[in-house]
Amino acid sequence: MSIQDQIKAELKARNAVLVAHYYVSGDLQTLAEESGGFVSDSLEMARFGQNCDADTIIVAGVKFMGETAKILSPEKTILVLDEAATCSLDEDCPIDEFSKFCDQHPDRKVVVYANTSAEVKARADWVVTSGSALTVAKHLRKQGEKILWAPDKHLGNYVQTQTGADMLLWQGSCVVHERFKADALQTLKGKHPEAAVLVHPESPQAVVDLADVVGSTTALINAVRDREESTFIVATDNGIFHKMHEVAPHKKLIEAPTMGAGADCESCAHCEWMAMNTLDNCLDVLKTGKNEILIESSIAKKAQQSIQKLLDFTA
Ligand code: 13P
Ligand code: SF4
């Protein structure tokens, strides 16, 4: 039996579903869809997990995605494929320091990106994702609220520029998106003047400035599917190419450059933590039940309120 068939059989036996992010390997994404699971961005992964009636959710992604699933579905068993698969934004925002920062600015609404720990989410008034940050910031600005934003300084800067909201920014960053280089991208654009440039807003401002479309992973995939151009330069994790090729098989996709001054590799555009998700550890986790996500209930309850606010707001 192929490993895919073994995983499908284990999923069935456990009444489990496989939920995957667009950045994990194509074989896991295909398997998630073929087995009745789901592939999406971090916001819709969370919503699917909450609404599905499986007993167990297998999360192919990174730790914060598993924690979000557990917070929203405390009665379900949540297993991640590798417990060490984290995120630099989450790591850059330890709860003790963050809590002190919040205490120093009690006049601001605390808005945190989904790429954070359960403890940080519990300290927040709102949790947002890249697909919802602008809408929430606009809403808060209308209400006359000032924002304390964490952890991604680039996404925070983008939201501030787009909405004019008063935002105080924590200084975290994504190690993958931070490596995209504006100068090299400008040169590449010159070689492909027909191409549209798609950029995830975790990228530096100078890269965002060169974009035709800035948005969440879902927004960038939809742009490839819906826009007229036949060539796209893509500044986000290259795991996304799997879905982009699927929705628009005849379109040409080019990785945005990560080389240039200050870069330590030619093309770093893949998250090392997303890459820890494999078919082998998926089967292992299903067989052993290891890597279960558990969250202290008082933390989970507080975090649930700020995530649920987002899900209701974006429903
Ligand atoms: P999305 O919410 O756009 O899927 O992004 C999650 C992420 O980790 C991007 O690096
Ligand atoms: Fe975190 Fe960046 Fe990896 Fe996304 S790509 S999980 S933001 S390190």
Side-chain angles (χ1 to χ4, degrees), residues 21-23 40-45 62 64-65 87 89 113-115 128-132 152 155 174 176-177 200-202 215-220 236-237 240 271 274:
H21 189 264
Y22 291 128
Y23 292 166
S40 195
D41 59 19
S42 55
L43 175 62
E44 296 310 321
M45 282 172 79
V62 293
F64 80 82
M65 295 171 179
C87 164
L89 289 167
Y113 196 29
N115 303 36
V128 299
T129 61
S130 60
S132 56
D152 188 353
L155 180 59
C174 161
V176 178
H177 290 86
H200 195 283
E202 289 170 12
S216 69
T217 47
T218 300
L220 301 185
T236 194
D237 185 291
I240 204 170
C271 176
M274 290 285 183

Side-chain angles (χ1 to χ4, degrees), residues 239-257:
I240 204 170
F241 281 30
H242 175 78
K243 184 53 86 181
M244 287 179 168
H245 281 306
E246 199 179 282
V247 300
H250 303 299
K251 296 197 175 176
K252 185 175 170 185
L253 306 174
I254 304 170
E255 263 185 42

Side-chain angles (χ1 to χ4, degrees), residues 51-66:
N51 294 338
C52 74
D53 58 11
D55 297 321
T56 298
I57 302 173
I58 310 294
V59 176
V62 293
K63 188 175 79 179
F64 80 82
M65 295 171 179

Side-chain angles (χ1 to χ4, degrees), residues 7 18-20 24-25 28 31 57-63 66 78-85 273-274 276-286 290-293:
I7 292 171
L18 176 59
V19 179
V24 301
S25 65
L28 276 167
L31 183 59
I57 302 173
I58 310 294
V59 176
V62 293
K63 188 175 79 179
I78 311 296
L79 306 178
V80 292
L81 300 195
D82 190 323
E83 281 183 316
W273 296 297
M274 290 285 183
M276 289 175 169
N277 293 272
T278 63
L279 289 175
D280 283 338
N281 56 21
C282 184
L283 183 57
D284 187 28
V285 156
L286 274 160
K290 70 181 194 184
N291 300 349
E292 180 169 1
I293 299 281

Side-chain angles (χ1 to χ4, degrees), residues 221-250:
I221 290 164
N222 291 347
V224 170
R225 188 193 59 201
D226 300 337
R227 286 181 65 105
E228 280 176 0
E229 293 90 347
S230 57
T231 306
F232 294 86
I233 300 173
V234 182
T236 194
D237 185 291
N238 59 24
I240 204 170
F241 281 30
H242 175 78
K243 184 53 86 181
M244 287 179 168
H245 281 306
E246 199 179 282
V247 300
H250 303 299

